[in-house]
Amino acid sequence: MSNIEKFLEMVQESDNIVFFGGAGVSTESGIPDFRSVDGLYNQKYDYPPETILSHTFYMRHTEEFYRFYRDKMLCLDAKPNVTHQKLAELEAAGKVKAVITQNIDGLHQMAGSRRVLELHGSVHRNYCQKCGKGFDAEYILKSGTEIPLCDVCGGKIKPDVVLYEEGLNQQTLEEAVFYISHADVLIIGGTSLAVYPAAGLIDYYRGNKLVLINKSTTPMDGRADLLIQAGLGEVFSQIR
């Protein structure tokens, strides 16, 4: 039996699956990741993306932050791919209990997943730092090259995205820990498991069906009960 066949059998037999995903879930929808050969960290900007996407840079160089953010982070034409769709179907069938994602693109919800825990926030939520009014991603895009300002009080609008130097939402973290610690099958997909504290969440898994699906090796490969080195679409498209 191949590893993919073992995976399909696990999915078939379980009704308590938790999926934990990273950038590799969305690359097949055309959204660039950060760390692969063609990723954002290997492209040339005046500053490294990691610097631009920091709280300090946002506060000091807001206009330049937004230039990069609109150009590289707002992929509003992207559509869910087969992995997003299959996860939504598995949730509707009562098998997947939660999707925990490091992505900020909202594609899981677009595909129909209902219990999605967004560790790093979402580009679809933005708020005025002065009065708290919320704005959608289209508003940010339509504000051109300028810093987006609130149409009520004129305050600066910030994306509800966790930047470097900022902490993760405590409630989201606690919910993620709850679902992972109670899962029968934990599927980790499309992540290098290099970003903490997110990567540390797998320490809370207590079961013996840890499935790791990623094209490249990760520091956690040795901990997987089932390791599949392949693209997520190739694997998830085989779920019936």
Side-chain angles (χ1 to χ4, degrees), residues 19-151:
F19 179 83
F20 175 58
V25 179
S26 293
T27 49
E28 291 175 24
S29 291
I31 294 179
D33 70 349
F34 276 41
R35 289 178 170 77
S36 70
V37 177
D38 302 314
L40 294 181
Y41 285 166
N42 291 303
Q43 297 177 22
K44 297 288 181 279
Y45 292 93
D46 291 344
Y47 300 89
E50 212 156 20
T51 300
I52 298 172
L53 295 173
S54 69
H55 180 82
T56 300
F57 193 91
Y58 168 78
M59 297 302 287
R60 291 180 184 166
H61 311 280
T62 312
E63 200 166 327
E64 197 159 343
F65 166 88
Y66 266 113
R67 265 205 301 275
F68 178 87
Y69 182 80
R70 287 191 189 94
D71 187 31
K72 294 295 178 184
M73 310 303 286
L74 287 183
C75 306
L76 302 186
D77 293 332
K79 297 286 186 282
N81 60 54
V82 67
T83 304
H84 298 108
Q85 290 157 356
K86 290 294 181 181
L87 285 167
E89 288 171 17
L90 289 170
E91 183 187 29
K95 288 181 161 295
V96 165
K97 300 306 180 195
V99 168
I100 301 163
T101 180
Q102 299 174 75
N103 297 332
I104 57 175
D105 50 50
L107 292 181
H108 284 294
Q109 290 94 328
M110 204 184 293
S113 287
R114 298 169 74 87
R115 190 164 302 278
V116 181
L117 304 179
E118 296 172 311
L119 295 174
H120 296 152
S122 172
V123 298
H124 296 285
R125 295 187 302 270
N126 306 271
Y127 60 92
C128 172
Q129 291 184 280
K130 197 170 171 185
C131 74
K133 181 182 176 182
F135 295 88
D136 61 17
E138 283 76 11
Y139 187 90
I140 304 300
L141 206 55
K142 286 172 185 169
S143 52
T145 57
E146 306 297 316
I147 297 168
L149 300 176
C150 177
D151 57 6

